[in-house]
Amino acid sequence: MAETRAPLVLASASPRRRQLLELAGIRPDSVAPADSDETPLKNESPRELADRLAREKARAVHAPGQFTLGGDTVVALGRRMLPKAESDEEVADCLRLLSGRAHQVLTGISVIAPDGRQSVRVVTARVVLKRLTDEDVARYVACRDGIGKAGGYAIQGPAAALIKSINGSYTAIVGLPLYEAVSMLEGLGYRRDAAR
């Protein structure tokens, strides 16, 4: 008789995280977005924020007997953290700030096993945008792809044409460092099912 696999719950509303997991042959059994206050604490570094939010989001929806995966992405210019842009103006402000400069994308990931063991990592990638013209900014703002995205852009969309270079995990920039996520799940005993 085949061993029953514990279910996997994705503690994120991000369709990109789900798609990335599916690329690795992992289909979450359910999605339960965690409602967390993402405001940085006083003197909290970008790395500390990504770590804390990943932990909190996984813990918020975890129940015994299931695997839970939570994550969060922070875009930072030095110690300055950029918002998840909620308006065209915020997208434009973020792009102007990042224009021609290197910045960090930090994605925290947390996996909790059915028995409560927890594994947490923060993966950092370096991204350089080209020097943007006013026309570049206006064109990207008009496509509305930056709304709701950390730093006001999504690397897997039209913004890809604005990226001069990246150093680090592409999937971490998208929102889930896939190598680390799979390693962490398997390290805590998650079995990928070939038939799924």
Side-chain angles (χ1 to χ4, degrees):
M1 189 167 142
E3 181 186 347
T4 303
R5 180 182 54 75
L8 171 63
V9 176
L10 178 60
S12 173
S14 166
R16 289 162 301 286
R17 289 193 179 107
R18 185 177 188 130
Q19 289 161 359
L20 286 168
L21 282 172
E22 290 177 355
L23 283 177
I26 297 173
R27 287 199 185 122
D29 295 278
S30 62
V31 175
D35 185 19
S36 298
D37 180 357
E38 299 183 2
T39 306
L41 302 176
K42 186 177 180 182
N43 298 321
E44 190 170 40
S45 72
R47 181 177 196 83
E48 290 165 341
L49 176 64
D51 179 283
R52 177 175 61 83
L53 291 177
R55 286 175 192 272
E56 286 180 359
K57 289 181 177 185
R59 279 195 204 115
V61 302
H62 182 70
Q66 71 183 36
F67 285 94
T68 307
L69 188 154
D72 199 76
T73 300
V74 175
V75 173
L77 194 60
R79 283 189 63 90
R80 178 174 180 176
M81 291 172 261
L82 278 67
K84 283 186 181 168
E86 299 301 333
S87 67
D88 289 348
E89 293 74 23
E90 280 193 323
V91 171
D93 289 346
C94 287
L95 291 179
R96 288 189 193 101
L97 188 63
L98 297 174
S99 174
R101 303 169 80 178
H103 63 278
Q104 307 290 314
V105 179
L106 305 97
T107 296
I109 179 170
S110 173
V111 176
I112 305 178
D115 62 8
R117 288 174 297 144
Q118 185 173 27
S119 178
V120 183
R121 292 189 196 161
V122 176
V123 178
T124 303
R126 181 178 182 269
V127 181
V128 181
L129 265 63
K130 72 173 198 165
R131 192 168 301 283
L132 303 174
T133 65
D134 289 341
E135 185 181 351
D136 290 328
V137 173
R139 187 181 300 116
Y140 188 70
V141 167
C143 80
R144 312 241 345 127
D145 191 56
I147 299 291
K149 308 296 192 314
Y153 75 92
I155 195 170
Q156 73 277 15
L162 309 177
I163 306 295
K164 185 176 177 183
S165 67
I166 67 169
N167 185 353
S169 167
Y170 172 80
T171 58
I173 299 166
V174 175
L176 183 72
L178 202 48
Y179 170 78
E180 287 81 3
V182 172
S183 298
M184 291 162 70
L185 281 163
E186 291 179 343
L188 288 173
Y190 181 82
R191 279 190 314 105
R192 282 192 276 176
D193 202 358
R196 283 174 65 77

